[in-house]
Amino acid sequence: MQAIDFYFDFASPYSYFMSEKIDALAAAHGRSVTWRPILLFAALRALGLPAPMEHPVKRDYMTADFARSARFLGVDYRLPAAFPALTQHAARAFYVLNDKAPAVAVGFAQTALRGYFRQGRDISDIDVITDMVCAQTDVLGPAATVREHLRTDAAKALLQNANTEAVNRKVFGSPFVLVDGEPFFGVDRLPQITARLVENRSNP
Amino acid sequence: MQAIDFYFDFASPYSYFMSEKIDALAAAHGRSVTWRPILLFAALRALGLPAPMEHPVKRDYMTADFARSARFLGVDYRLPAAFPALTQHAARAFYVLNDKAPAVAVGFAQTALRGYFRQGRDISDIDVITDMVCAQTDVLGPAATVREHLRTDAAKALLQNANTEAVNRKVFGSPFVLVDGEPFFGVDRLPQITARLVENRSNP
């Protein structure tokens, strides 16, 4: 059966919640998950959509809703002091790893998401990301080499390609999950994703 | 225990889905529901928020999501030909009824929502709303008198007051539910509303 595509931006709390659920859910229905970090703002710009509003009324609601949803979903969460974060270093690191050592790329992504949304580590900082890569694997070499890797045109191109692919697939939010090509936006769609996995298993 | 406040715009499919669920859910937890139709666009403007985007990428997703969510929630639904609708006549009719015959106001609201989202009746049309009021009750008199009622300054003021109250409570979407003052935006929050009703019942 086809892998589930999981698009996300590392700075999105709802995406972090999804990241804690999607692998086990997929596995329970005989599926794997293809993790695809993106830069949401760049994707929105390319789609001609405005960036999510930073209006106080919505921000207050969402800040409370992040914490409430985390409790509801049983996910360990704390709003990071440095929120939101810039996520190009994290996303590039993911694709560099995915290219050279795919087995550890998802582990790195989980380390980065948990480091940010549990311990408040500042994933905007290339040194923090470098540390996280080194804690995960030595396949890219020592810290200085990892840092260089993240700044290469090759690393930038890998992320750019992923973002272009996301735009082509009309990924307009984060998290954004595709099940057999059908789009589901938001962690709120977990129950409907579950229903669809059951349905598509019976009627492939 | 305090009534649950249910804010909605008559043109919102997700609000229609909520309207089919909220009374029974509240009753199961010993609560009543105060229905509060509003004009969402006016509330957003007053809050300084943009109207929900009519971008093709999002519209296509949402059109599919309306139908998928209706099936998931077990609600009878068909996208009306005249979508979206202007909802001032429906909302004014609700408040006029609520003022003179509160017992039938919610019944009228259900008639209007079902008429629109099941049979595709055009609720933008004052004559359609008048018919719906007359089918519900004769307390406002015959059709010609109902139609006059809906155009009075008193009817407009009732709706305006409800909208102002919604703005003061930072109602920035539809459906928008308040449980003991705590805001829940969207029909996707039904599971979390249920959890909170259980919790607040144990710890009032």
Side-chain angles (χ1 to χ4, degrees):
Chain A
M1 287 199 287
Q2 212 184 321
I4 292 172
D5 293 308
F6 167 40
Y7 289 92
F8 66 99
D9 188 295
F10 277 100
S12 152
Y14 297 125
S15 296
Y16 160 60
F17 306 156
M18 181 64 91
S19 78
E20 294 284 316
K21 301 289 177 185
I22 193 69
D23 278 345
L25 176 59
H29 298 276
R31 305 262 196 156
S32 61
V33 179
T34 305
W35 289 44
R36 305 296 280 166
I38 57 167
L39 301 184
L40 180 62
F41 279 27
L44 290 172
R45 199 168 44 237
L47 286 166
L49 286 161
M53 270 281 300
E54 269 301 303
H55 187 288
V57 166
K58 281 201 170 179
R59 191 170 50 231
D60 290 352
Y61 175 83
M62 286 179 75
T63 302
D65 192 63
F66 294 153
R68 182 172 68 190
S69 294
R71 278 196 307 278
F72 182 77
L73 293 165
V75 173
D76 188 7
Y77 161 84
R78 217 178 51 197
L79 184 71
F83 181 82
L86 298 174
T87 57
Q88 74 272 27
H89 299 310
R92 283 179 199 155
F94 175 90
Y95 286 110
V96 168
L97 286 173
N98 199 47
D99 208 37
K100 296 214 194 296
V104 300
V106 169
F108 158 78
Q110 284 172 325
T111 298
L113 288 163
R114 290 175 182 171
Y116 185 51
F117 287 112
R118 294 184 187 182
Q119 286 102 41
R121 297 187 69 190
D122 185 4
I123 58 170
S124 301
D125 184 340
I126 194 168
D127 291 331
V128 171
I129 294 299
T130 300
D131 283 353
M132 287 173 170
V133 169
C134 292
Q136 200 70 34
T137 178
D138 58 6
V139 74
L140 299 182
T145 318
V146 171
R147 209 178 292 109
E148 271 168 45
H149 259 299
L150 301 183
R151 289 183 166 137
T152 57
D153 288 344
K156 291 175 189 176
L158 286 170
L159 173 55
Q160 196 121 38
N161 291 345
N163 243 65
T164 301
E165 179 204 67
V167 169
N168 290 340
R169 301 181 83 178
K170 301 180 183 173
V171 172
F172 64 80
S174 174
F176 203 95
V177 168
L178 290 154
V179 178
D180 303 330
E182 182 180 352
F184 294 85
F185 167 46
V187 71
D188 293 329
R189 284 288 162 275
L190 270 172
Q192 295 198 34
I193 291 170
T194 305
R196 183 64 82 250
L197 289 172
V198 171
E199 209 170 283
N200 289 8
R201 192 169 192 169
S202 326
N203 312 296
Chain B
M1 287 199 287
Q2 212 184 320
I4 292 171
D5 293 307
F6 168 39
Y7 289 92
F8 66 99
D9 187 296
F10 276 99
S12 152
Y14 296 126
S15 296
Y16 160 60
F17 305 156
M18 180 65 90
S19 78
E20 294 284 316
K21 301 289 176 185
I22 191 70
D23 278 345
L25 176 59
H29 298 275
R31 305 263 194 154
S32 60
V33 179
T34 306
W35 290 44
R36 305 296 280 167
I38 57 166
L39 301 183
L40 180 61
F41 279 26
L44 290 172
R45 199 167 45 235
L47 287 165
L49 285 161
M53 272 279 300
E54 269 301 303
H55 187 289
V57 166
K58 282 200 170 181
R59 191 169 52 230
D60 290 352
Y61 175 84
M62 287 179 75
T63 302
D65 192 62
F66 293 154
R68 182 173 67 190
S69 294
R71 278 196 306 277
F72 182 77
L73 292 165
V75 173
D76 188 7
Y77 161 84
R78 218 178 49 197
L79 185 69
F83 181 82
L86 298 173
T87 57
Q88 73 271 27
H89 300 309
R92 283 179 198 153
F94 175 89
Y95 287 110
V96 169
L97 286 173
N98 199 47
D99 208 37
K100 297 215 193 298
V104 300
V106 169
F108 159 77
Q110 284 171 325
T111 298
L113 287 163
R114 291 175 183 172
Y116 185 50
F117 287 112
R118 294 185 187 183
Q119 286 100 41
R121 297 187 69 190
D122 185 4
I123 58 169
S124 301
D125 184 341
I126 193 168
D127 291 331
V128 170
I129 294 298
T130 300
D131 283 353
M132 288 173 169
V133 169
C134 292
Q136 200 70 34
T137 177
D138 59 5
V139 74
L140 299 182
T145 319
V146 171
R147 209 177 291 111
E148 271 168 45
H149 259 300
L150 300 183
R151 288 182 166 139
T152 58
D153 287 345
K156 292 176 188 175
L158 286 170
L159 174 54
Q160 196 121 38
N161 291 345
N163 243 65
T164 301
E165 181 204 67
V167 168
N168 290 339
R169 301 182 82 179
K170 301 180 183 171
V171 172
F172 64 79
S174 174
F176 203 95
V177 168
L178 291 154
V179 178
D180 303 332
E182 182 181 353
F184 294 85
F185 168 46
V187 71
D188 294 328
R189 283 290 162 275
L190 270 172
Q192 295 199 33
I193 291 170
T194 305
R196 183 64 83 250
L197 289 172
V198 171
E199 208 170 282
N200 289 9
R201 192 170 191 168
S202 326
N203 313 296

